[in-house]
Amino acid sequence: GGGPKNTIHNNNNNNNNIALSALAQPLRSLEGVRDEVIAEVHRAPERRVDNTITRLYESSRLLHMHLATCEEARRRFARERIAQWVLSLGLLAGGQVGALAGVTQGLPLSSMALLSALSVAAAGLGALHARRTLRQTEASLSSQHGLDACFTHTHQRAVADGDQFATALWARAAPTVRAAVNTIGLGNLPHVSAANLARVKKVW
């Protein structure tokens, strides 16, 4: 017959089956985690490359934004400086040419000398006005508001499209741009050519 030994043997088998069944799910989960870890390890080099490309993209965009905005501020200041000094030199040259023409036409020498002196005085006042105007222009362009306006001009498409990435990059770049502009001075900033800007842009 079956006897007690067979009963004990069957009980042991049942207990083993229950134990194996209880371990099966955790083992399957562990194997799944292991497979995920192995897959992540294999993907790590690719992920590092992706991260490097992303950092390069952001860095090149930041550099282009920095250069383009500084160049726009420098260009606006240079344009105002030329306009002011042309005005001052125009006053001087106009008076001198007028005085010389008057002398050649036989007008009184004393009157022409007075005209010449007045033109020199007007040019001097013009130069003082030019310096004051240029200081104000530089302060305005170097302010956050002025640099924001330069950024808006150089990135018109991004601003018009509501490009949040470009706006976020400008928020990061703006303090550095302002520090550079205020430290070096708009009159001392080097010219950045369109070719150089295009070269940076090729990176992305």
Side-chain angles (χ1 to χ4, degrees):
K5 287 185 178 180
N6 288 336
T7 302
I8 293 171
H9 179 72
N10 289 336
N11 287 339
N12 287 338
N13 285 338
N14 290 337
N15 290 337
N16 289 337
N17 289 336
I18 293 171
L20 289 173
S21 179
L23 287 172
Q25 183 59 40
L27 284 173
R28 281 195 295 270
S29 298
L30 184 59
E31 288 175 355
V33 172
R34 181 200 61 186
D35 292 340
E36 289 178 10
V37 170
I38 291 173
E40 287 297 315
V41 170
H42 287 308
R43 282 198 296 266
E46 180 182 348
R47 190 164 55 250
R48 282 197 296 270
V49 171
D50 290 342
N51 290 340
T52 301
I53 292 173
T54 300
R55 287 196 300 271
L56 177 61
Y57 174 75
E58 289 186 0
S59 297
S60 61
R61 286 286 300 266
L62 277 170
L63 177 59
H64 184 273
M65 190 173 286
H66 185 113
L67 293 175
T69 307
C70 282
E71 173 58 21
E72 177 62 19
R74 186 207 64 80
R75 187 187 65 80
R76 293 186 181 195
F77 178 74
R79 185 176 58 193
E80 181 64 26
R81 180 166 57 183
I82 290 172
Q84 291 297 324
W85 287 116
V86 165
L87 177 61
S88 297
L89 292 174
L91 290 172
L92 178 61
Q96 299 306 310
V97 170
L100 181 60
V103 170
T104 58
Q105 293 297 320
L107 296 177
L109 187 59
S110 59
S111 297
M112 296 305 98
L114 178 60
L115 176 59
S116 176
L118 287 174
S119 71
V120 171
L125 291 174
L128 291 175
H129 174 74
R131 290 193 185 94
R132 183 168 59 251
T133 300
L134 289 175
R135 281 197 298 270
Q136 293 172 349
T137 300
E138 183 168 21
S140 175
L141 286 171
S142 301
S143 68
Q144 188 60 56
H145 177 74
L147 293 174
D148 284 343
C150 291
F151 163 74
T152 300
H153 178 80
T154 56
H155 295 76
Q156 293 179 23
R157 170 68 73 83
V159 173
D161 292 346
D163 188 338
Q164 294 184 353
F165 180 70
T167 303
L169 279 183
W170 172 240
R172 290 169 55 188
T176 306
V177 172
R178 189 174 182 187
V181 165
N182 283 285
T183 301
I184 301 172
L186 287 177
N188 299 319
L189 284 177
H191 168 60
V192 180
S193 66
N196 286 334
L197 287 173
R199 203 168 291 126
V200 174
K201 201 170 184 178
K202 279 183 180 179
V203 174
W204 78 82

